[in-house]
Amino acid sequence: MPDDARTKHAAYAIPIDGMSCASCVAHVEKALAQIPGVASVGVNLATEQARVVLSDPAALPKLAPAIEAAGYAVRNARAEFAVSGMTCASCVAHVEGAAKRVPGVLEATVNLATERAHIVYRDGIADPAAIVRAIADAGYEATPLGSEAAGPAPRDENAGLAHRLIVAAVLGAPVFAVEMGGHVFPPLHGWIHAALSPDFVAYASLVLTTLVMFGPGLGFQRVGLANLLRGTPDMNTLVAVGTLSAYLYSLAAVVAPHLMPAGAVHLYFEAAVSVVVLVLLGRYLEGLSRGHARDAIARLGRLQAKTARVERDGAFVELPIASVVVGDRLQVRPGERIAADGTLASGHSYVDESMVTGEPVPVFKEVGAAVIGGTVNQNGSFVFAATKVGADTMLAQIQRLVENAQAGKLPIQAVVDRVTARFVPAVFAAAAATFVGWMLWGGAGAFGLALANAVAVLIVACPCAMGLATPISILVASGRAAERGILFRRGEALQLLGTVTLVAFDKTGTLTKGRPELTDLVAAPAFAADEVLALMGALEASSEHPIAAAIVRAARDKKLEALPVADFAASPGLGARARVGDRDVAVGADRYLASLGISTAPFAHAMASLAAAGKSPIFVAIDGRLAALAAVADPIRPSAKPAIAALHAAGLATAMVSGDNRATATSVAAELGISRVVAETMPADKLAALATWRAEGATIAFVGDGINDAPALAQADIGIAVGSGTDIAIDSADVVLVAGDLAAVAEAVALSKATMRNIRQNLFWAFGYNAALVPVAAGALYPWFGIQMSPIFAAAAMAASSIFVVGNALRLRRFGN
């Protein structure tokens, strides 16, 4: 699906079937990169997707043919649309023609009677939104009714693998038992040969092996040999050549033994069938594991409501989610999932947002509060107005961010790609050298040893493990991060964040809540605090100053009586006065009360303490007498102090950059334990501070939330945006904290380090496995220790290698538990 098909550089995520190893990835990338108009290509084996960025839209129709020419398949999808505005057969032709002109659409069938369009399209190249636009341009209105995969889904593919595995195992078991059973239970050979003639056993083994090779194992031969002829050998090629070598040699030994060299008539049917069975078993188990790795993104998809109760003609009716548009009023009952992003219009309730933000405590929602599509209403009922629907909702954006992160390639992957591009040809060269070497120096029985060892080399080599080592860890880690309310907008950020040495924070809205609150209220002896707050709140309700808004909120939170106000008069920058009820009330700075002839001396010491703490003192006079001292400040987020402590415990330095005055910034930094402070900054000054720290050798993560933070987020080595911040700040960041919980900063750093540790373990295993076992398979230990690796054990080891890599990556699912 294009990220934005209307931009010049559009990105497409294309699902691809048939990839099994790192060589497949290299082949697909090479095929796509050669297309004029393709700006960049990244293929991910774990997600089975190609992410293609186009500089020329004319390249779009060429993507699928290039993938298919390389020997792989683009997954198809089906979609149903309700089409209105059609009146005759010509309309049908126009709609079908408009849909078919969309690049990637394969079939378009329109039914005038039912007003339905059935479309089959290349998933990731075309999408329902593009089809809707094309039909709209033709003068008709189309509404998606749903879409589904037209080809086999991953679970269906695994079911197919299971069927092939069972058939191969049932057919191959007698062959394996006859040839290898005697090694486990020696009398078995005697019993078999006493009951059956050797020729019968040989021909029965031939028939059963043929059924395995060209039944369940046909896929290896068809794909592997086709890729060999194209000059793009992959893991299927290794399996195909290895098993065919054993099969054809055994076939000749059965049907034409007189043509074989003396002493060279041996059967290797058990090797061929065992390799097919074990490779199928490995792929089946790997598929199950990769399915678990994809669970996070699948769970996000399942959060989307399928229907919604939408207001139509004054009544709420159940409609498909695709029918909801911005501005619709939707009703949500207890226990129901919210269908779109919006703003509460009536009612109130608690909403469980944990599946999106990671916050476990339900959030209270009342009129004016924002609700998020995909979250679950608890015990109340309410109506909200939809503000974002479909692909624009937060849930859809989170899903896209996770998919983009999973499709990304880490810098460490570049080394792996260079190695794997040459790996399969190197394995063929090693197998050929093994065969030739044993033929020259193997002595008696050299041919059998040469063949067995060459086949073992082909089978034991595992480019699949190398191909999965990095992307499978990214897949699991980015999914786990999303569950914890951390979104990596770029896969590279997963690697880079773990290298950070300094975390710099914006103050306002990041370390603090971002809006003033009444923090202190000290009443004079003759006055009650609630009485003073009620009078202050009534007076300040007539003011538009941010400090006034903080006082009004404090009065409302305590549900104090709203008193009538008359004769309101404000002195800009100083204060205001009015008649509130039957009292004369004045609120403002000490200078303002001094101008009214009221001394603030009794509160002089308390005022100095509040000012030193970075708070703004406010005095209150009632009926000409000093009544109270209040203070307003932007309070520190509850999660800020523990977050800073966690970063320090992890060995990271911290800093704060603020546009606020130095006294306030220094006070906040001191309370949080931050030693580096840069205050009274403009956006350009923040960049200068980052440049200074970078010159000192620091790798910097910057955490911010506002528009003025966007340049610093983009300039830092890693930009981290607080999810409650502005869209422009989030768009400039590499990592987004959905819930705005600063504790997630340390958690994101820890996850990055855990992911890179996991990747290094995978790579060490994948490369170490091949480096160690390929020589053993070639027979390097045989002359000295008599150790020879059978092709059967080679197949088992190869399957185990991939399963180990995927299983190790799945350990990241437990991160944070």
Side-chain angles (χ1 to χ4, degrees), residues 72-416:
Y72 305 92
V74 176
R75 202 169 296 156
N76 294 338
R78 295 190 186 94
E80 292 283 342
F81 299 83
V83 183
S84 59
M86 298 187 298
T87 58
C88 64
S90 295
C91 298
V92 170
H94 294 158
V95 173
E96 288 181 347
K100 288 177 179 177
R101 285 191 292 273
V102 176
V105 169
L106 301 175
E107 300 175 18
T109 306
V110 178
N111 188 307
L112 179 62
T114 61
E115 295 186 314
R116 293 287 189 271
H118 174 80
I119 312 290
V120 178
Y121 58 92
R122 303 283 198 188
D123 196 3
I125 294 176
D127 70 337
I131 296 168
V132 167
R133 287 197 297 270
I135 294 174
D137 291 342
Y140 305 90
E141 184 178 348
T143 303
L145 299 177
S147 60
E148 61 181 16
R155 291 185 189 278
D156 296 333
E157 289 180 9
N158 237 33
L161 274 173
H163 176 73
R164 290 168 62 193
L165 171 61
I166 292 169
V167 172
V170 170
L171 293 174
V175 179
F176 183 84
V178 166
E179 295 296 332
M180 301 299 293
H183 296 289
V184 179
F185 186 60
L188 182 62
H189 264 310
W191 295 348
I192 292 173
H193 289 296
L196 304 170
S197 70
D199 284 347
F200 178 85
V201 171
Y203 276 97
S205 296
L206 170 61
V207 171
L208 291 173
T209 304
T210 302
L211 292 173
V212 170
M213 290 288 293
F214 301 101
L218 181 61
F220 299 127
Q221 324 305 330
R222 186 174 57 241
V223 176
L225 295 180
N227 285 339
L228 182 62
L229 294 175
R230 291 189 190 96
T232 56
D234 62 358
M235 183 178 171
N236 293 296
T237 310
L238 296 177
V239 174
V241 172
T243 54
L244 277 173
S245 299
Y247 172 77
L248 293 174
Y249 181 84
S250 303
L251 173 65
V254 171
V255 300
H258 57 282
L259 299 178
M260 305 288 288
V265 179
H266 300 292
L267 301 184
Y268 295 97
F269 288 129
E270 84 287 353
V273 296
S274 299
V275 167
V276 170
V277 170
L278 289 169
V279 173
L280 286 173
L281 174 62
R283 288 199 179 175
Y284 174 71
L285 295 176
E286 181 187 320
L288 290 179
S289 300
R290 284 160 72 171
H292 290 312
R294 295 190 193 98
D295 278 352
I297 196 71
R299 280 194 293 271
L300 285 174
R302 290 194 292 268
L303 294 179
Q304 177 63 61
K306 301 297 184 288
T307 61
R309 290 181 57 78
V310 187
E311 188 175 44
R312 293 286 187 265
D313 300 323
F316 288 99
V317 295
E318 195 94 5
L319 294 176
I321 189 66
S323 301
V324 179
V325 297
V326 172
D328 276 346
R329 286 166 55 88
L330 283 70
Q331 184 184 57
V332 184
R333 294 173 296 192
E336 290 184 338
R337 198 172 291 280
I338 297 171
D341 294 355
T343 304
L344 219 70
S346 65
H348 58 82
S349 182
Y350 282 89
V351 174
D352 179 5
E353 298 181 341
S354 60
M355 62 287 296
V356 174
T357 66
E359 288 293 317
V361 180
V363 181
F364 181 69
K365 303 290 183 178
E366 56 186 346
V367 173
V371 292
I372 303 171
T375 57
V376 178
N377 182 29
Q378 296 289 284
N379 50 11
S381 184
F382 58 85
V383 174
F384 73 96
T387 56
K388 291 182 179 179
V389 300
D392 296 326
T393 62
M394 177 182 282
L395 179 62
Q397 292 178 51
I398 289 173
Q399 195 164 352
R400 282 199 300 274
L401 287 177
V402 175
E403 287 173 342
N404 290 343
Q406 291 178 344
K409 285 199 172 186
L410 273 59
I412 197 173
Q413 182 69 25
V415 178
V416 181

Side-chain angles (χ1 to χ4, degrees), residues 16 50 61 67 132 235 240 299 324 453 507 523 566 600 643 662 678 763 771:
I16 298 177
I67 293 169
V132 167
M235 183 178 171
R299 280 194 293 271
V324 179
N453 289 337
K507 181 183 79 71
T600 59
R662 185 166 300 279
V678 179
L763 290 174

Side-chain angles (χ1 to χ4, degrees), residues 620-647:
V620 185
I622 299 175
D623 295 332
R625 299 163 56 200
L626 183 64
L629 169 64
V632 170
D634 182 5
I636 293 173
R637 287 176 183 259
S639 63
K641 195 165 186 175
I644 300 298
L647 290 171

